[in-house]
Structures are given as structure tokens and as C-alpha cells.
């Protein structure tokens, strides 16, 4: 465990929002977390800061989950393998590790920033695949009882970018176990962006391997998103609205060109497309402090920070939502 005082938080959140932490504690294992309980109401916990918007200028105490380590194979036979990985591990590093070891399924999530803990909490979805489909169980610390507890995949109640953890309180995810099926695994390359990439580059689906698909998705994302070293962003800021077939049919009577794609027994409306139709692609606003925030030039779904405060980014995002709902 490491402790620092009066530190800037700009480098600890991918939005690059400037804020001050009176105290930062790096939590490297379960013992670090348990030794500091109870936390108190003035403590904020996060991992890599890829899904965080800091709304305050000063924070009393920030706990940053840094428990990392090599993935560990728990069980393996000719049908499946179960791998455990620490919650603080960088998600894309784990994806690359699985591919290098021949454990396939997460290749559609290439080059998404963040940690394993945040991924299994929010059930990240990318290019037709959800991380929850491969979760075997999630281990977490109950901050009230100081016990390490476990939720199975079914108990996580995964749905579109949601899990049971979003309705729980007073917990910290410490590790997750993933299961990869060997004989029944199939590549998922049916997402429109992947199909367009294959057609444009004259690549046959039969040529695809999990590693090749991972590389393609990384290339697609790099062309649609700013570099994390270039400017602050949290990636896709909004969820795609989820509608029923009946709702989609009614919407298409108003706009037959509305962009949608199937998701289980529902349909997703492309939130980036909705914003683009309203002129938010390339849109940048100047704030009262003469700083700016806006949607990315190649993908309106991405909010990009040009040195705005957290509250200014929040105000911009809410204005985007208001214009979509009122249009």
C-alpha cells in the first residue's frame, strides 16, 4: 500500500479532469482494503478512472485499486478453461493474454480502456460481444462485514451494460474468474462495422482468426476514437437506447432511416447516429471559463474534453440528452 498527499487527479482519470486529492491510497491487495476499513463517507474508490467523471475540485481521500498480477489458470480440460484475474488488471492486457494462450472469446473487446473490475461491474459490450458471457464468478469484499463474497454469473444478472453490482452498495470487486469453451466457440464478426471493414479490405470471413479479429477491431477503434494520449475521453459516453420491435416499427414510421441493430429480443438505436443527425458530430462548445468540451469528430457518441471541468462536461452531456429526447 502506498499513500500520497495533495496530489492532482488529472492523470488518474481518462477524461483528464483536473481535481485535487488530499490523500491518495493505492490498494494493492485484499489486505490493504481490509486494513483501512471502515472507509467513511469521505472516501471515493475507483480503478483506472476510465468510467469516472470527477465533479468536485477537491476530494478528501481517493482509494485506487491497483491489485494486479498474472492471470491464473484455475481449471482446464479438453472442453473448457477457467482463468482468474485480479480486478485491478488492465482489461486489454488480459484480452491479449487470453489470445496468446489460445483462450478465445474476448477478442471483440480489443483496445477498450479500463480494468477487469470495471468491466465485470458494467458488463462492457463491444462489437457484438458482452464480457458477462464469459464470466464464471466475481469475488468482492463486503465492506460492512469485511468478508470476501462471490457472485456466480447467474447471480450477476447481466444485461445490457448492467449487473447486480450496480444495485449493491459498500463493496469492492477484487477478482473475477472467466470460463472459455474450447469446442463450442465461434467467432462473432457480424457487427456492421466489422462487415464493412472486411468488405473494404477484401478480407474473407474464412480468413479470420481470433487474433486477426482482435487486430481488426483495434484498427476500427483507433480510426473512430482519439488517442488516449491525445485528449481526455471516457470512450462511448452514452448507452444505445434499447427498444422493442414494436417501438422500433413506430419509430421507423417517423424516420425510416433510423440506425438500429438487434440485441437479444430487443433492438438498439445507435446513440451516436442520433446525435450526428442533430449536428453534434464535430460539435464543440465554449464554456463559461473559456474551456471547451464536445463530441468527437469521427464519432458523436464520444465526449471529448478540451480542458473543461467535470461539471462543464456533465452540463454538456445533459444538454445532448435533452436535445435527443426533445427532437
Amino acid at each position: 500500500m502506498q499513500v500520497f498527499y495533495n496530489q492532482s487527479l488529472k492523470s488518474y482519470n481518462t477524461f483528464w479532469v483536473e481535481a485535487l486529492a488530499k490523500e491518495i491510497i493505492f490498494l494493492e491487495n485484499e489486505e490493504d482494503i481490509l486494513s483501512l476499513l471502515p472507509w467513511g463517507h469521505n472516501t471515493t474508490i475507483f480503478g483506472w478512472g476510465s468510467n469516472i467523471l470527477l465533479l468536485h475540485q477537491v476530494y478528501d481521500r481517493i482509494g485506487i485499486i491497483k491489485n494486479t498480477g498474472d492471470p491464473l489458470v484455475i481449471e482446464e480440460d479438453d472442453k473448457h478453461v477457467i482463468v482468474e484475474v485480479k480486478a485491478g488488471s488492465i482489461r486489454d492486457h488480459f484480452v491479449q493474454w487470453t489470445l496468446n494462450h489460445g483462450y478465445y472469446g474476448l477478442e471483440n473487446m480489443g483496445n477498450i480502456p479500463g480494468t477487469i473490475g470495471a468491466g465485470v461491474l458494467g458488463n462492457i459490450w463491444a462489437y457484438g460481444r458482452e464480457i458477462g458471457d464469459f464470466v464464471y464468478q466475481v469475488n468482492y469484499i463486503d465492506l460492512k462485514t469485511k468478508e470476501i463474497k462471490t457472485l456466480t454469473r447467474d447471480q450477476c444478472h447481466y444485461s445490457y451494460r448492467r449487473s447486480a453490482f450496480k444495485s449493491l452498495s459498500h463493496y469492492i470487486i477484487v477478482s473475477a474468474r472467466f470460463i472459455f469453451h474450447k469446442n463450442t466457440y465461434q467467432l462473432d464478426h457480424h457487427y456492421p462495422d466489422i462487415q464493412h471493414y472486411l468488405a473494404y479490405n477484401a478480407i474473407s470471413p474464412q480468413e479470420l482468426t481470433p487474433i486477426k479479429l482482435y487486430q481488426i477491431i483495434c484498427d476500427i477503434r483507433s480510426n473512430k476514437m482519439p488517442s488516449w494520449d491525445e485528449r481526455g475521453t471516457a470512450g462511448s459516453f452514452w448507452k444505445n437506447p434499447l427498444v422493442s420491435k414494436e417501438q422500433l416499427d413506430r419509430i421507423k414510421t417517423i424516420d425510416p432511416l433510423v440506425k438500429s441493430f438487434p440485441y437479444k429480443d430487443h433492438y438498439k438505436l445507435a446513440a451516436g447516429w442520433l446525435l450526428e443527425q442533430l449536428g453534434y458530430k464535430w460539435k464543440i462548445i465554449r464554456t463559461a471559463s473559456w474551456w471547451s468540451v464536445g463530441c468527437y469528430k469521427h464519432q458523436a457518441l464520444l465526449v471529448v474534453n478540451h480542458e473543461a471541468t467535470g461539471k462543464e462536461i456533465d452540463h454538456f452531456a445533459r444538454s445532448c440528452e435533452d436535445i435527443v429526447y426533445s427532437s
Side-chain angles (χ1 to χ4, degrees):
M1 178 168 58
Q2 294 179 302
V3 182
F4 298 92
Y5 299 96
N6 297 319
Q7 295 289 309
S8 168
L9 290 170
K10 186 173 182 177
S11 61
Y12 298 111
N13 70 102
T14 61
F15 254 131
W16 291 7
V17 169
E18 184 63 85
L20 176 72
K22 294 180 180 178
E23 182 180 10
I24 294 181
I25 304 173
F26 292 98
L27 306 167
E28 299 174 1
N29 50 52
E30 289 85 343
E31 290 73 21
D32 286 351
I33 298 170
L34 292 170
S35 68
L36 293 173
L37 293 177
W39 286 103
H41 296 295
N42 63 338
T43 302
T44 303
I45 307 293
F46 57 87
W48 201 36
S50 60
N51 224 14
I52 294 287
L53 179 57
L54 301 177
L55 297 179
H56 304 294
Q57 292 184 323
V58 179
Y59 290 82
D60 288 335
R61 174 191 265 182
I62 296 290
I64 299 181
I65 306 298
K66 285 290 185 181
N67 62 332
T68 60
D70 294 332
L72 179 64
V73 175
I74 302 298
E75 177 183 313
E76 184 171 12
D77 57 27
D78 58 348
K79 295 183 179 180
H80 71 270
V81 60
I82 297 174
V83 180
E84 182 169 356
V85 58
K86 295 292 187 180
S89 299
I90 301 302
R91 193 161 50 243
D92 191 54
H93 294 175
F94 178 60
V95 172
Q96 295 179 45
W97 183 92
T98 60
L99 294 174
N100 291 335
H101 285 77
Y103 309 141
Y104 304 137
L106 300 181
E107 56 276 353
N108 293 53
M109 299 171 196
N111 199 28
I112 300 178
T115 61
I116 290 295
V120 299
L121 183 155
N123 189 26
I124 61 167
W125 180 93
Y127 297 96
R129 279 273 164 85
E130 289 180 329
I131 199 170
D133 291 337
F134 299 90
V135 168
Y136 184 73
Q137 66 184 43
V138 180
N139 304 309
Y140 67 98
I141 293 178
D142 185 320
L143 299 181
K144 288 185 175 179
T145 65
K146 301 185 180 181
E147 297 175 302
I148 296 180
K149 297 182 178 179
T150 297
L151 289 186
T152 65
R153 182 193 179 280
D154 289 342
Q155 291 172 327
C156 286
H157 298 299
Y158 283 123
S159 59
Y160 175 47
R161 290 178 68 171
R162 289 200 63 84
S163 74
F165 287 103
K166 291 200 171 184
S167 60
L168 294 178
S169 60
H170 301 96
Y171 71 89
I172 293 178
I173 295 173
V174 293
S175 66
R177 290 186 177 185
F178 293 85
I179 184 167
F180 301 96
H181 299 280
K182 298 179 178 179
N183 300 329
T184 58
Y185 168 73
Q186 292 183 333
L187 283 174
D188 189 337
H189 54 79
H190 299 99
Y191 195 78
D193 284 359
I194 301 175
Q195 291 293 304
H196 294 158
Y197 187 100
L198 296 180
Y200 182 81
N201 292 279
I203 300 173
S204 167
Q206 287 70 36
E207 299 176 51
L208 288 178
T209 65
I211 293 178
K212 179 64 175 177
L213 182 56
Y214 168 84
Q215 294 168 340
I216 287 172
I217 287 173
C218 288
D219 195 23
I220 293 172
R221 289 181 65 85
S222 66
N223 289 325
K224 291 174 62 175
M225 299 181 63
S227 168
W228 301 102
D229 298 326
E230 179 183 341
R231 56 177 62 94
T233 180
S236 298
F237 193 90
W238 295 277
K239 292 173 61 175
N240 294 308
L242 204 60
V243 298
S244 66
K245 178 65 166 60
E246 294 74 17
Q247 289 173 312
L248 178 62
D249 290 341
R250 288 199 298 270
I251 293 170
K252 283 188 173 182
T253 63
I254 302 171
D255 187 348
L257 299 179
V258 65
K259 190 174 180 181
S260 66
F261 41 94
Y263 173 78
K264 298 182 179 178
D265 57 346
H266 283 71
Y267 288 82
K268 292 179 183 178
L269 303 181
W273 183 88
L274 296 173
L275 287 165
E276 186 175 338
Q277 304 315 299
L278 295 168
Y280 273 78
K281 197 171 183 179
W282 275 98
K283 185 176 181 66
I284 297 176
I285 65 168
R286 292 288 172 180
T287 66
S289 60
W290 296 101
W291 293 342
S292 58
V293 58
C295 293
Y296 189 48
K297 59 185 179 182
H298 296 313
Q299 171 56 273
L301 192 58
L302 276 66
V303 174
V304 178
N305 180 22
H306 303 267
E307 298 301 324
T309 67
K311 287 186 177 180
E312 289 167 342
I313 295 172
D314 182 59
H315 176 75
F316 172 76
R318 291 178 186 275
S319 71
C320 292
E321 295 165 12
D322 290 343
I323 195 67
V324 169
Y325 282 121
S326 62
S327 298

